[in-house]
């Protein structure tokens, strides 16, 4: 075991898979010699060579096409989009092509592509760096979408993503890259995609979150405990497909739930979670399922982040609304 | 005040000088005569007749496909008549191991690469079994998103290069497609990695109703290769020998590690853009049509082969009869394909275990379909 930040755990996952499977290729803008703009691929080119870890021209759409073509010749591409706000440049390759590769070849060609990309607010990035666009890709049949919130989850989930035979979008929250360390096993281990994790057990209200909102929800749970409320915090980890079983079991136990996301209310995936609960557990509910989200504006100017991004106080407040309904 | 003439650098002159260099490469003229002996690819008699057979077959396939489409026995269809040299002579330069990433008009190349005809018809109708590709068939279904095949070709080329394979990928787009970002990114990526790709631009003069001149001020589309720093060539796309020679040359350089090539084939589609209601008389005059009909690749190749005593009316009729029979059989075979079920679609969404939502819906539709 070693103490790792999330970014170290991510590097470690890629190193592990580059070692395990000679078909794994890591590429993107500045991921080679430079080791990535966040050092996520630090040392990998040196260890595995330019044939396995390499830079690309600056063109996201081209990178997506490169991954698709490489997958059609038996490679297992791990491509990076430098910031997920640049998704729009490569939306066709991701949603229009890779996601549909199995379907449009009657299941005869698959696309074992992992698309790594940083996103998320709270670090005062310039425009189009921090936007939460997971809702866009989660809406596309054929893709799985993974968002880890801890170093341990990041490594196990990324290894699973790389080993998956289908395209997986793996979104890395920038604020979580180095915000804390955690014990992470040095050997290979996997965490199944599509499995949520109960980060804190509770009995009065279920708080369902993902990404940076998991840490905020845990803070809110502590605040609620001081007021005598026991909150259960579920970290979705995979937002497409959802772990409906874990969500429903928790709601049936607590009878109350809120869904927390950093994305705007009209975006993200919170509405999906609410709908699943309504369809499957409405008779267990003592109160409506409420959402904690950002306002429906464009992602804020950097200096406006603090007032715009949802945080632990917003979560506590919404949880209390549900508890006192 | 007139702009001051820069004596060091004259951008207008530079442009003209570059453009003048892209002369049209031709071997067989409209009268079926060799006009460029030096460049003659010297195909064997068998190769020459086989290529002619494929071109005639494809012309019949086009005629029959249009008729079958009108009868409602085919769905989406993009006519190919006029482009036989561009499509089939370029494909003829490939080997079985080479990959093809076609656009939506490039079904003939797939058929001669090994896609069974009835599957091409199923693809036209919109049936998943039309894309049920054999494992060793190095093709991808026709690409509907114009330009996407170009960036993907760059990926296949890199994949082949990394495997040390002596094979290439060839991809096709039209004149309109050269305006896409993916067109440029594709040729630029392949250039940067010097990977074995052949990019073909079939300049059939119109993108639906938009003439080539509206796409770009560039005098040729071939010169767009300059932006990627890759070799490019403008070819008479109605001349099978020139198309074959240019592709063969590009393939050779690609497998020798010399990188990609861009080939513009100057050609024409005699029919509409697709059979989905496009009416070429709205944007094309009969003068232009008849001017291009004089350049018909089949006519000039026939004259050439007849001169060499390699082709006769009997031979041509035999190909026509064979084509008609095979088309009839293939349509029958396509008719026998089972009706598509939602469970079929759910099954081919993911490799491996179904995600919970797909599994749940699979169970629901299995129940529905059993009733």
């Amino acid at each position: 075991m070693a103490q790792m930040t999330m970014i170290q755990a991510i590097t470690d996952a890629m190193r592990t898979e580059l070692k395990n499977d000679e078909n794994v290729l890591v590429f993107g803008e500045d991921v080679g010699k430079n080791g990535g703009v966040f050092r996520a691929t630090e040392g990998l080119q040196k260890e595995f060579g330019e044939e396995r870890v390499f830079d690309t021209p600056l063109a996201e759409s081209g990178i997506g096409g490169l991954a698709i073509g490489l997958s059609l010749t038996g490679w297992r591409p791990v491509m990076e989009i430098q910031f997920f706000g640049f998704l729009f440049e490569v939306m066709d390759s991701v949603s229009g092509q890779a996601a549909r590769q199995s379907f449009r070849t009657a299941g005869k060609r698959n696309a074992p592509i992992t698309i790594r990309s940083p996103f998320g607010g709270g670090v005062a990035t310039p425009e189009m760096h921090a936007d939460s666009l997971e809702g866009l890709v989660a809406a596309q049949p054929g893709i799985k979408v993974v968002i880890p919130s801890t170093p341990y989850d990041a490594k196990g989930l990324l290894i699973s993503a790389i080993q998956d035979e289908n395209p997986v979008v793996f979104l890395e929250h920038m604020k979580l890259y180095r915000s804390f360390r955690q014990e992470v096993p040095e050997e290979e281990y996997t965490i199944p995609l599509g499995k949520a994790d109960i980060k804190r057990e509770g009995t009065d209200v279920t708080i369902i979150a993902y990404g940076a909102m998991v840490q905020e929800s845990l803070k809110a749970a502590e605040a609620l405990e001081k007021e005598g409320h026991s909150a259960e915090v579920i970290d979705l980890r995979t937002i497409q497909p959802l772990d409906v079983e874990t969500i429903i079991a928790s709601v049936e136990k607590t009878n109350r739930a809120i869904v927390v996301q950093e994305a705007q209310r009209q975006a993200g995936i919170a509405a999906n979670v609410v709908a699943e609960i309504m369809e499957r557990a409405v008779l267990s509910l003592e109160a409506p399922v409420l959402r904690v989200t950002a306002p429906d504006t464009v992602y804020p100017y950097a200096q406006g982040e603090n007032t715009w991004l949802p945080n632990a106080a917003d979560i506590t407040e919404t949880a209390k609304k549900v508890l006192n309904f | 005040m007139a702009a001051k003439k820069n004596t060091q650098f004259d951008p207008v002159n530079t442009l003209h000088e570059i453009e003048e260099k892209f002369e049209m490469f031709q071997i067989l003229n409209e009268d079926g005569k060799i006009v460029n002996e030096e460049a003659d690819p010297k195909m064997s008699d068998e190769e020459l007749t086989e290529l002619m057979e494929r071109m005639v077959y494809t012309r019949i396939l086009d005629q029959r496909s249009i008729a079958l489409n009108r009868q409602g026995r085919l769905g989406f269809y993009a006519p190919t008549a006029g482009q036989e040299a561009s499509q089939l002579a370029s494909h003829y330069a490939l080997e079985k191991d080479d990959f093809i990433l076609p656009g939506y008009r490039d079904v003939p190349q797939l058929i001669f690469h090994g896609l069974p005809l009835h599957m091409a018809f199923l693809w036209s109708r919109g049936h998943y079994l039309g894309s049920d590709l054999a494992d060793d068939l190095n093709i991808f279904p026709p690409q509907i998103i114009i330009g996407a095949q170009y960036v993907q070709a760059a990926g296949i080329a890199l994949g082949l290069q990394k495997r040390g394979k002596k094979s290439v990928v060839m991809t096709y787009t039209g004149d309109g497609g050269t305006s896409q970002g993916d067109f440029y990114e594709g040729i630029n990526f392949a250039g940067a990695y010097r990977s074995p790709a052949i990019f073909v631009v079939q300049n059939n003069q119109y993108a639906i109703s938009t003439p080539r001149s509206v796409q770009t001020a560039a005098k040729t589309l071939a010169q767009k290769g300059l932006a990627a720093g890759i070799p490019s060539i403008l070819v008479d796309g109605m001349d099978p020998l020139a198309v074959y020679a240019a592709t063969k040359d590009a393939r050779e350089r690609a497998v020798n590690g010399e990188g990609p090539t861009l080939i513009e084939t100057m050609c024409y589609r005699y029919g509409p853009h697709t059979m989905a209601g496009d009416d070429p008389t709205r944007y094309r005059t009969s003068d232009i049509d008849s001017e291009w009909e004089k350049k018909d690749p089949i006519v000039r190749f026939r004259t050439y082969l007849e001169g060499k005593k390699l082709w006769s009316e009997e031979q041509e009729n035999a190909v026509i009869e064979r084509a008609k029979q095979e088309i009839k059989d293939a349509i029958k075979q396509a008719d026998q394909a089972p009706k598509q079920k939602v469970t079929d679609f759910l099954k081919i969404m993911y490799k491996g275990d179904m995600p919970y939502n797909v599994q749940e819906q699979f169970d629901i539709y299995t129940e529905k379909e059993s009733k």
Side-chain angles (χ1 to χ4, degrees):
Chain A
M1 297 281 258
Q3 287 279 326
M4 289 188 200
T5 59
M6 189 162 98
I7 195 99
Q8 288 169 331
I10 286 166
T11 313
D12 199 47
M14 281 187 276
R15 181 181 294 113
T16 305
E17 288 315 284
L18 279 160
K19 217 180 282 174
N20 282 348
D21 184 346
E22 60 184 18
N23 289 314
V24 171
L25 301 174
V26 172
F27 54 90
E29 295 158 8
D30 311 298
V31 305
K33 198 170 228 164
N34 189 43
V37 292
F38 290 103
R39 303 284 167 263
T41 51
E42 176 91 343
L44 297 182
Q45 189 182 68
K46 201 169 173 207
E47 189 174 346
F48 297 97
E50 288 176 29
E51 284 292 307
R52 305 282 307 282
V53 181
F54 53 94
D55 292 322
T56 66
L58 202 168
E60 286 74 21
S61 189
I63 294 170
L66 205 66
I68 289 167
L70 287 165
S71 78
L72 288 169
T73 43
W75 298 97
R76 198 170 277 276
V78 181
M79 61 173 262
E80 180 180 300
I81 303 174
Q82 202 161 65
F83 295 94
F84 205 50
F86 311 162
L87 166 72
F88 296 111
E89 300 293 326
V90 63
M91 195 79 184
D92 180 54
S93 283
V94 176
S95 294
Q97 306 290 331
R100 303 163 63 101
Q101 193 147 302
S102 174
F103 185 80
R104 72 186 294 266
T105 57
K108 287 300 179 70
R109 306 284 186 272
N110 60 311
I113 298 170
T114 303
I115 300 151
R116 284 186 45 246
S117 190
F119 80 110
V123 288
T125 51
E127 206 173 3
M128 294 291 284
H129 283 56
D131 294 60
S132 289
L133 302 175
E134 68 279 8
L136 293 179
V137 278
Q140 174 58 48
I143 300 187
K144 300 177 185 178
V145 186
V146 175
I147 305 183
S149 74
T150 68
Y152 179 85
D153 286 351
K155 179 173 172 181
L157 288 166
L158 183 51
I159 290 175
S160 292
I162 294 171
Q163 292 178 355
D164 201 279
E165 298 294 340
N166 305 286
V168 179
V169 173
F170 189 89
L171 297 176
E172 304 164 4
H173 200 290
M174 284 184 272
K175 201 181 169 187
L176 298 176
Y177 267 154
R178 296 184 174 86
S179 60
F180 65 99
R181 285 173 187 275
Q182 192 183 27
E183 287 289 320
V184 175
E186 273 158 275
E187 66 276 7
E188 177 183 358
Y189 65 94
T190 57
I191 295 171
L193 304 187
K195 286 304 283 177
D197 184 41
I198 298 174
K199 289 279 191 282
R200 179 188 170 112
E201 301 222 8
T203 51
D204 299 337
V205 59
T206 301
I207 303 177
I208 302 155
Y210 60 96
M213 291 300 111
V214 173
Q215 293 303 324
E216 294 301 310
S217 298
L218 288 168
K219 278 186 225 163
E222 269 174 44
L224 288 165
E225 189 175 84
K226 282 181 192 139
E227 298 182 34
H229 306 296
S230 162
E232 177 147 299
V233 177
I234 295 180
D235 178 358
L236 289 173
R237 298 199 294 197
T238 300
I239 59 151
Q240 180 60 253
L242 289 170
D243 181 357
V244 166
E245 218 175 303
T246 302
I247 295 167
I248 298 304
S250 176
V251 172
E252 283 173 348
K253 178 176 72 174
T254 63
N255 311 117
R256 288 180 166 83
I258 64 171
V259 187
V260 186
Q261 69 180 20
E262 181 174 319
Q264 295 88 335
R265 182 155 294 236
Q266 69 185 62
I269 53 102
N272 291 355
V273 179
V274 175
E276 292 287 357
I277 296 171
M278 290 308 293
E279 289 188 357
R280 295 165 198 267
V282 70
L283 295 179
S284 302
L285 291 175
E286 297 284 349
V289 182
L290 299 185
R291 289 174 288 166
V292 178
T293 70
D296 285 329
T297 73
V298 167
Y299 191 87
Y301 292 91
Q303 292 194 335
E305 272 186 330
N306 287 346
T307 50
W308 189 89
L309 285 168
N311 59 27
D314 300 319
I315 300 166
T316 311
E317 189 188 317
T318 304
K320 281 202 245 175
K321 265 190 211 164
V322 167
L323 285 161
N324 301 323
F325 180 76
Chain B
M1 202 168 70
K4 206 173 155 191
K5 190 108 181 157
N6 186 333
T7 50
Q8 296 295 307
F9 181 75
D10 180 348
V12 175
N13 199 37
T14 303
L15 174 68
H16 290 156
E17 272 177 22
I18 289 168
E19 288 184 330
E20 290 314 311
K21 292 208 186 333
F22 286 89
E23 277 178 48
M24 185 140 82
F25 174 59
Q26 190 189 55
I27 295 173
L28 199 61
N29 72 7
E30 289 173 32
D31 305 323
K33 295 216 162 55
I34 299 276
V35 292
N36 188 346
E37 188 68 49
E38 211 180 317
D40 185 348
K42 300 275 188 288
M43 298 168 77
S44 70
D45 291 352
E46 291 73 28
E47 288 172 335
L48 287 168
T49 39
E50 190 180 24
L51 178 53
M52 180 62 177
E53 281 172 12
R54 290 182 180 194
M55 287 170 56
V56 171
Y57 191 104
T58 302
R59 180 65 62 87
I60 298 303
L61 178 61
D62 185 66
Q63 289 167 2
R64 292 302 303 142
S65 297
I66 288 170
L68 288 161
N69 169 282
R70 292 209 168 111
Q71 296 162 20
R73 300 189 72 195
L74 282 181
F76 177 81
Y77 182 69
T80 58
Q83 298 189 205
E84 292 85 357
S86 171
Q87 294 184 319
L88 301 159
S90 59
H91 173 257
Y92 204 74
L94 293 190
E95 302 288 336
K96 179 82 186 138
D97 284 347
D98 295 335
F99 279 74
I100 303 175
L101 287 194
Y104 51 76
R105 201 181 300 280
D106 302 308
V107 176
Q109 297 96 304
L110 302 183
I111 291 168
F112 288 104
H113 212 56
L115 181 73
L117 192 52
H118 77 278
M119 285 176 66
F121 290 156
L122 285 171
W123 180 80
S124 161
R125 289 177 175 181
H127 195 299
Y128 80 106
L129 290 177
S131 301
D132 189 32
L133 304 173
D135 290 343
D136 62 346
L137 185 53
N138 292 334
I139 63 169
F140 212 36
Q143 180 57 253
I144 298 296
I145 303 303
I146 296 172
Q149 69 272 33
Y150 262 54
V151 280
Q152 293 170 9
I156 290 188
L158 185 62
L160 294 171
Q161 182 185 50
K162 285 185 174 297
R163 297 249 179 251
K165 290 262 165 79
K166 287 278 177 202
S167 49
V168 305
V169 58
M170 184 145 79
T171 187
Y172 297 85
T173 191
D175 40 306
T178 61
S179 301
Q180 290 278 1
D182 275 358
F183 163 82
Y184 170 71
E185 291 185 29
I187 62 174
N188 188 58
F189 268 59
Y193 295 119
R194 293 178 76 82
S195 52
I198 304 172
F199 297 100
V200 181
V201 172
Q202 299 189 85
N203 175 3
N204 64 16
Q205 315 303 321
Y206 288 88
I208 307 188
S209 65
T210 308
R212 144 72 180 84
S213 59
V214 175
Q215 298 296 338
T216 174
K219 193 178 165 204
T220 70
L221 299 176
Q223 74 195 64
K224 291 184 178 266
L226 289 173
I230 66 172
S232 44
I233 182 169
L234 170 62
V235 181
D236 179 353
M238 309 299 261
D239 169 1
L241 296 183
V243 172
Y244 176 81
T247 319
K248 187 101 181 150
D249 177 61
R251 188 182 183 283
E252 223 165 85
R253 282 185 291 104
V255 296
N256 287 331
E258 292 170 51
T261 302
L262 179 68
I263 300 173
E264 174 186 2
T265 62
M266 187 72 85
C267 55
Y268 199 70
R269 63 167 154 85
Y270 295 140
H273 163 68
T274 67
M275 295 304 292
D278 177 41
D279 173 13
T281 63
R282 291 169 73 107
Y283 53 86
R284 266 181 358 208
T285 63
S286 55
D287 284 1
I288 301 172
D289 283 350
S290 55
E291 185 196 316
W292 279 94
E293 269 156 27
K294 282 184 221 142
K295 300 178 199 259
D296 191 324
I298 291 181
V299 173
R300 78 171 77 170
F301 204 31
R302 185 192 289 133
T303 311
Y304 172 66
L305 293 182
E306 281 171 351
K308 290 174 75 99
K309 304 263 180 275
L310 289 173
W311 198 251
S312 66
E313 211 180 318
E314 295 77 59
Q315 270 169 289
E316 184 149 333
N317 286 334
V319 176
I320 293 170
E321 286 317 307
R322 178 165 61 83
K324 285 182 176 166
Q325 189 58 48
E326 287 180 8
I327 291 164
K328 215 187 258 177
D329 294 346
I331 278 286
K332 261 192 219 152
Q333 204 179 339
D335 289 344
Q336 283 157 14
K339 257 192 157 173
Q340 300 172 98
K341 303 191 298 283
V342 174
T343 48
D344 295 328
F345 294 154
L346 290 164
K347 267 193 266 188
I348 58 177
M349 277 304 302
Y350 296 87
K351 188 169 176 187
D353 293 341
M354 289 181 186
Y356 92 95
N357 52 328
V358 177
Q359 182 64 57
E360 204 171 75
Q361 291 159 30
F362 183 80
D363 295 342
I364 291 167
Y365 280 94
T366 303
E367 170 84 26
K368 272 191 189 178
E369 290 163 5
S370 71
K371 280 176 191 159

